[in-house]
Amino acid sequence: MTRWLVTGAAGMLGTDVVTVLREAGDDVRAVTREGLDVRDPHACLDVVAGADVVINCAAWTDVDGAEEHEADAFAVNATGAANVARACAQHAAVLVQVSTDYVFAGDAATPYAVDAPVAPLNAYGRTKAAGEWAVRAECPSSYVVRTAWLYGEHGPSFPATMLRLATERDELDVVNDQRGQPTWTRDLAHYLRALPVEQEPFGIRHATATGETTWFEFARAVFAGAGLDPERVRPTTSDRFPRPAARPAYSVLDNGSRLPPWSDALGRALPALLARG
C-alpha cells in the first residue's frame, strides 16, 4: 500500500486532502506545522522518511502580510519547499507541491498555459514562483500544481466571509474587475491524490474549477445558493479597496484537470459552509 504524507495538514486544503485520502482507505500520515517546520532541512529528512508520496500543503498564505514580511514568506514557500523536495529526492518519494495563479501577472487576455512565463505582481507570488523552481530543481519526481481562488470548509474563505457579511450589512460592494476560477478544496484534494495514483507524467499542472467568473458574480452566486437576495450584492472596482499586495486582474488558468464547474462545486460546498454559521 502506498504510504502518504501530508504536510500543512491542519490548513484549509490540507484538512480536505487528509480526509480524501482516509476516505479512500489510504495509509496517510498527517503532519501539522507543529509537527514539521519545513524551514528545517533536517526535520524534513526525518519526517519524509518512510513516505512514498508527499503532498506539501505547508505554505505562507497571507498575501498582504508577505509584502511586509517577504523574507519570512520566502523561508516557507521557497526554502521550505526546497527542503521538502530535497528530502523527497533522498528518500525516493514522489512530491506533489501546491502552487498558485499568483505566479502570473494577470495581464493576459486568454487563460494562462502551464508553460507561460511567470511574472508575479507581489511578494507572495515571488515566493511561490521561487518554490516552484526549487521543487523542480531538487526533485524530478514531482508535480507542481497551480490552483486559484481556493475556498473550503476548514479555514477563512470568500464564501464564508460573504455569508458572515450578509448577516451584518444590508448591501455589499464586491469587485467586478478581477476574473478567476473559484476552486473548492475538496475537489482539488481528489485531483492531487489522482496524479500519483494514476501515474501521470511529472511536471507542472493547472488545477482549477471549470469556467470563470468575477468576485462580484461569485458573491451573488453565494447569496443565491444560501437563499439570500443576490441583488444585495453590488459591483464595484478594485481601486475602491486598496490592498498592500497587488492582485492579478485575470487569474484564469488553462488546465486539463477536469475539475467540475465552479458553480456546481459551490452548490456542493455550501451546505457545510452554512452549517458553520
Side-chain angles (χ1 to χ4, degrees), residues 242-267:
R243 305 286 292 274
R247 264 60 174 179
Y250 186 80
S251 288
V252 180
L253 305 182
D254 183 8
N255 71 82
S257 62
R258 304 180 299 280
L259 266 62
W262 69 265
S263 54
D264 169 80
L266 178 62

Side-chain angles (χ1 to χ4, degrees), residues 63-262:
V63 176
D64 288 326
E67 290 299 303
E68 189 173 349
H69 303 285
E70 185 167 357
D72 295 328
F74 190 94
V76 177
N77 292 344
T79 305
N83 290 338
V84 174
R86 196 174 298 117
C88 286
Q90 181 159 330
H91 291 297
V94 170
L95 174 59
V96 182
Q97 172 71 27
V98 182
S99 192
T100 174
D101 58 304
Y102 277 44
V103 299
F104 297 118
D107 56 357
T110 56
Y112 283 97
V114 293
D115 59 354
V118 299
L121 289 178
N122 54 43
Y124 169 73
R126 289 192 292 271
T127 67
K128 293 297 284 185
E132 289 187 3
W133 181 89
V135 164
R136 299 185 70 196
E138 296 286 352
C139 184
S141 299
S142 62
Y143 303 96
V144 172
V145 182
R146 296 177 182 139
T147 190
W149 288 27
L150 280 186
Y151 67 94
E153 178 185 356
H154 304 288
S157 69
F158 180 82
T161 299
M162 293 300 102
L163 292 171
R164 175 179 57 81
L165 291 176
T167 68
E168 301 172 359
R169 304 178 187 175
D170 293 330
E171 295 181 320
L172 301 180
D173 292 335
V174 180
V175 297
N176 197 34
D177 55 1
Q178 296 177 28
R179 298 195 69 81
Q181 298 154 302
T183 303
W184 187 26
T185 49
R186 191 167 178 86
D187 281 346
L188 178 60
H190 281 286
Y191 177 78
L192 297 179
R193 178 183 182 273
L195 285 173
V197 166
E198 297 176 6
Q199 298 183 336
E200 294 287 342
F202 298 122
I204 299 175
R205 296 287 190 282
H206 287 172
T208 53
T210 303
E212 61 183 80
T213 189
T214 68
W215 290 117
F216 162 70
E217 293 164 345
F218 188 27
R220 286 173 64 95
V222 170
F223 269 58
L228 304 171
D229 182 4
E231 294 300 321
R232 292 171 57 191
V233 183
R234 303 179 304 189
T236 189
T237 54
S238 298
D239 57 11
R240 291 280 308 279
F241 295 96
R243 305 286 292 274
R247 264 60 174 179
Y250 186 80
S251 288
V252 180
L253 305 182
D254 183 8
N255 71 82
S257 62
R258 304 180 299 280
L259 266 62
W262 69 265

Side-chain angles (χ1 to χ4, degrees), residues 261-276:
W262 69 265
S263 54
D264 169 80
L266 178 62
R268 289 180 288 117
L270 268 175
L273 293 171
L274 288 166
R276 287 176 53 185

